Amino acid sequence: ELFVGVPPFFKDDSDQMMNSIINDQLIMPQSIPKEAWALVSGLLNKDPAKWLGSQAGFEEIKKSQWF
């Protein structure tokens, strides 16, 4: 939202947005810095076991190049 003005998967209809969250791939514009993309995609991974921070908690997130 910080870079493109709307949250990822945003839709006006809440049912469509939920469907998008569950089923669609995260697509980011090329204008977003690669460090930010790595952070956001890590936090929004569909597999909770692969979420950024799921292994080492906030320390893992703080090691992101974005910070």
Side-chain angles (χ1 to χ4, degrees):
E1 188 172 354
L2 175 68
F3 293 103
V4 296
V6 295
F9 308 110
F10 179 77
K11 308 280 188 235
D12 286 328
D13 179 273
S14 60
D15 289 333
Q16 288 178 349
M17 185 164 31
M18 182 60 70
N19 185 54
S20 183
I21 290 168
I22 294 168
N23 297 306
D24 294 349
Q25 285 187 336
L26 181 60
I27 298 173
M28 294 274 209
Q30 290 184 350
S31 61
I32 294 177
K34 65 180 180 176
E35 298 85 1
W37 167 243
L39 175 64
V40 172
S41 63
L43 293 170
L44 297 179
N45 193 304
K46 302 268 188 217
D47 181 353
K50 295 180 181 177
W51 285 343
L52 185 62
S54 66
Q55 303 300 312
F58 188 65
E59 290 303 316
E60 185 178 357
I61 296 170
K62 288 190 327 186
K63 290 180 183 176
S64 165
Q65 290 183 348
W66 179 247
F67 296 112

